[in-house]
Amino acid sequence: MKLWLAAVAAAALAVAVHADDIGKKVNDPVSNKPVTVAKDTPSVAVNGTRLYFADAKSREAFLKTPEAFLKTPLECPVRGIKGKADKTKRIVVNDELVYFCCAGCSMGFQKEPNNYVSKLIDPVSTKEFNLASDSPKVQYKGSWYFFESDENKATFEKDP
């Protein structure tokens, strides 16, 4: 199973700014340019941390090869072990990149994601919801999508 399709991810990964981050000053991980986070600042979440970019072009460059720009060790959400980002140990969940320490953790996460993630953004309604063991889900082009309702899942399946 392919865990990542760069062309799809570059177009699909959502831009979502957390209200608490507005006004925060960060560095773009690609260009290293300073960025003051605004409502429309391009971003992507990696293991629960939101990264912000100076512009859409920088974000697209990141999504093509995120491992080239992720220099800080990432903590596996299953075992808590820190390690280098490895594309063979990542999945995409509701347009967020999730890296693991090993393939076994990836499998465990996919079986019971609600044990490791409490909240997600529904890709249809764009509302945050609490992930439950019985949340509707679908796998599409190597990415996992979870929904707050069966209706949103059906809407997604009609036009992903």
Side-chain angles (χ1 to χ4, degrees), residues 30-76:
V30 175
S31 68
N32 206 32
K33 291 179 183 177
V35 175
T36 301
V37 178
K39 186 178 180 182
D40 60 350
T41 301
S43 69
V44 66
V46 178
N47 282 38
T49 299
R50 188 139 306 268
L51 303 178
Y52 294 98
F53 303 91
D55 53 41
K57 184 177 177 182
S58 185
R59 181 177 175 273
E60 288 174 27
F62 177 85
L63 291 174
K64 287 180 184 175
T65 57
E67 295 79 20
F69 303 104
L70 294 169
K71 304 299 181 196
T72 305
L74 298 170
E75 186 173 310
C76 173

Side-chain angles (χ1 to χ4, degrees), residues 12-35:
L13 287 176
V15 177
V17 173
H18 291 289
D20 292 347
D21 289 347
I22 293 177
K24 185 177 176 182
K25 296 189 183 310
V26 298
N27 282 339
D28 178 319
V30 175
S31 68
N32 206 32
K33 291 179 183 177
V35 175

Side-chain angles (χ1 to χ4, degrees), residues 10-157:
L13 287 176
V15 177
V17 173
H18 291 289
D20 292 347
D21 289 347
I22 293 177
K24 185 177 176 182
K25 296 189 183 310
V26 298
N27 282 339
D28 178 319
V30 175
S31 68
N32 206 32
K33 291 179 183 177
V35 175
T36 301
V37 178
K39 186 178 180 182
D40 60 350
T41 301
S43 69
V44 66
V46 178
N47 282 38
T49 299
R50 188 139 306 268
L51 303 178
Y52 294 98
F53 303 91
D55 53 41
K57 184 177 177 182
S58 185
R59 181 177 175 273
E60 288 174 27
F62 177 85
L63 291 174
K64 287 180 184 175
T65 57
E67 295 79 20
F69 303 104
L70 294 169
K71 304 299 181 196
T72 305
L74 298 170
E75 186 173 310
C76 173
V78 175
R79 296 180 60 200
I81 296 171
K82 288 190 177 187
K84 186 176 178 178
D86 179 342
K87 71 179 181 178
T88 66
K89 299 174 191 163
R90 75 172 170 207
I91 62 172
V92 179
V93 177
N94 285 37
D95 297 330
E96 297 186 14
L97 300 174
V98 183
Y99 288 88
F100 301 93
C101 63
C102 65
C105 285
S106 172
M107 300 287 276
F109 180 91
Q110 289 178 55
K111 286 181 184 173
E112 290 293 332
N114 58 301
N115 287 342
Y116 310 105
V117 175
S118 58
K119 294 185 181 285
L120 287 173
I121 303 294
D122 185 296
V124 174
S125 70
T126 68
K127 293 179 185 175
E128 187 174 69
F129 71 99
N130 293 320
L131 184 63
S133 60
D134 61 348
S135 291
K137 66 182 176 183
V138 66
Q139 188 175 22
Y140 176 72
K141 293 192 177 181
S143 298
W144 284 98
Y145 293 94
F146 294 86
F147 305 90
E148 64 179 338
S149 69
D150 288 322
E151 294 80 18
N152 288 355
K153 178 185 176 199
T155 299
F156 180 88
E157 290 178 316

